[in-house]
C-alpha cells in the first residue's frame, strides 16, 4: 500500500476573497471550513473550501490577492481541477452553471463525460461522474443533495515532458499508469478518493505564468508526520530539494518542485480543521497561528469582511 493517499488539497491564486465565497461557496456549494491568512504573507486571506468537515481530498484553498492580474495557462502547472459528482449529476450542474453565467464545455476524455467550467478568474475545473465514489458532499440549500460535489476526483498537470513526472508519481508516490489516450496519460491510485492524476503532454506550449485563476500548488495526502518524514528522506535521497516539515496549523507540510515544474506538497491528515473551531462553527472566525496573533487588530481592520 502506498503511503500517498491521493490529493490532500489544491491551492490557487484569486483576485477576490468575496468572489471566492460567491463562486465556490454559493454556486458550487462547498463549505468555507477555514478563514485564516497566508502564513507566509499574513496581510492576505487564506480561504479553505471543502466538504462539511474539511476531509483531505476535498479541500480547495485560495490566496486572494485583491486585484491580482489573471495568470496565463501553460505548461509546468496543474491546469485543471477535477471534482467528483454522482452519476446523473451533470444535468443539474449544466443548468446551475449556466444560470451563474459560468462558461460551459462538454468533453469526452478517456471514455468519460466532463463538464468543464471556470470561475470569474478563469480557474478551470471539470465535473466528472464518478460511479464508485462513496463520499457525500456538503449539503446546502439550492443544490440537489444527489448532485453535491463529493470532493476532488483528481487533477490534470500540463507538462512539456511527461516522463520525469510520470516516473516520480509511479515510483515513490505509488501511482499506477491506468490509461493512455493521445497526449494524455492517466495515473491513479484506485484504493483512494481523489486518486487520479492526468498528465497532458504539451511539448510546444510555453510555461504558465502565475496569477489569478492559476493553481499555486497541489498537495498529496499522507496519514501523519512520521510517514511524511519517511517520504521526505526518500525524496531527498533521490535528489529533490525538499523543505523541512512546516506546521500549517491544520496539517504539516513539505514542499518540493516536481520535475515538470509543478510545485508539489505532501500534507498530513493530522490534526485536521476542527483543531481550533468546533465542526459546526468551521469557517466562521478569523483564525491565526500563534506567531501572527499579535497582528489580529490590524488584520481585522484590513481584511475585507466576507458575506458567506
Ligand atoms: Zn498547500
Amino acid at each position: 500500500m502506498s503511503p500517498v493517499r491521493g490529493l490532500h488539497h489544491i491551492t490557487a491564486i484569486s483576485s477576490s476573497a468575496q468572489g471566492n465565497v460567491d463562486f465556490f461557496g454559493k454556486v458550487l456549494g462547498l463549505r468555507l471550513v477555514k478563514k485564516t491568512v497566508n502564513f507566509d504573507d499574513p496581510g492576505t486571506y487564506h480561504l479553505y473550501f471543502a466538504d462539511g468537515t474539511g476531509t483531505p481530498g476535498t479541500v480547495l484553498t485560495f490566496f486572494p490577492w485583491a486585484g491580482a492580474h489573471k495568470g496565463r495557462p501553460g505548461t509546468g502547472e496543474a491546469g485543471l481541477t477535477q471534482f467528483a459528482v454522482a452519476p446523473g449529476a451533470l444535468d443539474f450542474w449544466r443548468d446551475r452553471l449556466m444560470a451563474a453565467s459560468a462558461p460551459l464545455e462538454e468533453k469526452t476524455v478517456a471514455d468519460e463525460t466532463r463538464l468543464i467550467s471556470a470561475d470569474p478568474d478563469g480557474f478551470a475545473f471539470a465535473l466528472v461522474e464518478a460511479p464508485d465514489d462513496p463520499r457525500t458532499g456538503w449539503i446546502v440549500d439550492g443544490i440537489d443533495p444527489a448532485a453535491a460535489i463529493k470532493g476532488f476526483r483528481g487533477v490534470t498537470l500540463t507538462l512539456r515532458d511527461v516522463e520525469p513526472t510520470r516516473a516520480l508519481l509511479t515510483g515513490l508516490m505509488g501511482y499506477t499508469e491506468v490509461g493512455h489516450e493521445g497526449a494524455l496519460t492517466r495515473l491513479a491510485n484506485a484504493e483512494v478518493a481523489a486518486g487520479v492524476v492526468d498528465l497532458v503532454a504539451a511539448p510546444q506550449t510555453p510555461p504558465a505564468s502565475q496569477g489569478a485563476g492559476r493553481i499555486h500548488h497541489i498537495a498529496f495526502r499522507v496519514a501523519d508526520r512520521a510517514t511524511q518524514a519517511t517520504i521526505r528522506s526518500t525524496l531527498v535521497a533521490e535528489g529533490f530539494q525538499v523543505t523541512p516539515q512546516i506546521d500549517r496549523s491544520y496539517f504539516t507540510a513539505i514542499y518540493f518542485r516536481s520535475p515538470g515544474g509543478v510545485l508539489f506538497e505532501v500534507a498530513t491528515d493530522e490534526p485536521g480543521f476542527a483543531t481550533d473551531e468546533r465542526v459546526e462553527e468551521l469557517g466562521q472566525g478569523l483564525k491565526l497561528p500563534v506567531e501572527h496573533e499579535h497582528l489580529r487588530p490590524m488584520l481585522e481592520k484590513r481584511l475585507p469582511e466576507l458575506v458567506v
Side-chain angles (χ1 to χ4, degrees):
M1 191 178 93
S2 168
V4 175
R5 313 300 289 157
L7 293 174
H8 184 286
H9 64 269
I10 292 176
T11 293
I13 298 166
S14 76
S15 65
S16 163
Q18 186 63 50
N20 290 146
V21 170
D22 290 344
F23 193 85
F24 295 95
K26 293 175 187 167
V27 178
L28 294 194
L30 306 181
R31 185 179 189 193
L32 177 66
V33 293
K34 197 62 66 184
K35 188 164 64 175
T36 181
V37 294
N38 182 338
F39 289 8
D40 301 324
D41 176 16
T44 60
Y45 273 126
H46 192 182
L47 303 178
Y48 289 75
F49 297 88
D51 67 355
T53 57
T55 309
T58 74
V59 184
L60 176 62
T61 96
F62 288 94
F63 297 136
W65 282 310
H69 290 291
K70 272 191 188 184
R72 187 189 62 219
T75 46
E77 69 164 354
L80 181 73
T81 296
Q82 304 171 19
F83 290 113
V85 294
L90 293 187
D91 289 340
F92 172 86
W93 285 108
R94 204 176 287 113
D95 292 345
R96 187 168 180 86
L97 289 164
M98 207 177 284
S101 305
L104 271 183
E105 189 189 350
E106 209 156 305
K107 253 192 193 169
T108 302
V109 178
D111 291 332
E112 65 193 17
T113 306
R114 291 177 172 184
L115 199 58
I116 296 176
S117 187
D119 84 341
D121 282 327
F123 174 91
F125 62 91
L127 298 170
V128 187
E129 294 181 354
D132 301 319
D133 193 324
R135 298 175 295 174
T136 48
W138 175 236
I139 307 299
V140 293
D141 279 353
I143 294 185
D144 177 358
I149 289 174
K150 294 168 177 286
F152 299 129
R153 192 291 187 95
V155 68
T156 303
L157 311 185
T158 312
L159 305 167
R160 287 194 99 130
D161 176 10
V162 160
E163 182 46 36
T165 302
R166 194 193 69 81
L168 167 67
L169 287 164
T170 57
L172 67 98
M173 297 187 73
Y175 282 79
T176 305
E177 186 170 329
V178 295
H180 194 87
E181 181 187 286
L184 182 142
T185 302
R186 170 158 295 177
L187 310 180
N189 179 342
E191 296 166 4
V192 299
V196 170
V197 181
D198 285 334
L199 307 179
V200 172
Q204 310 300 332
T205 304
S209 71
Q210 283 285 341
R214 311 318 307 162
I215 290 175
H216 185 266
H217 65 269
I218 61 171
F220 296 88
R221 169 181 186 186
V222 293
D224 52 34
R225 287 176 57 92
T227 311
Q228 186 183 51
T230 306
I231 288 189
R232 185 180 182 283
S233 303
T234 314
L235 285 164
V236 169
E238 299 224 348
F240 290 98
Q241 296 210 349
V242 190
T243 66
Q245 291 176 292
I246 301 171
D247 180 4
R248 295 305 194 191
S249 292
Y250 313 106
F251 47 86
T252 301
I254 57 172
Y255 304 86
F256 64 103
R257 189 69 60 182
S258 66
V262 183
L263 184 59
F264 279 9
E265 174 183 343
V266 176
T268 58
D269 284 5
E270 60 182 13
F273 291 91
T275 177
D276 57 1
E277 281 173 305
R278 294 191 302 130
V279 167
E280 308 84 73
E281 292 166 351
L282 286 174
Q284 290 181 11
L286 176 65
K287 295 295 165 188
L288 300 174
V290 176
E291 68 270 27
H292 294 329
E293 197 53 62
H294 69 283
L295 299 173
R296 180 177 289 278
M298 182 272 284
L299 291 172
E300 285 182 340
K301 254 188 244 149
R302 176 166 153 183
L303 292 168
E305 203 170 319
L306 299 180
V307 184
V308 176

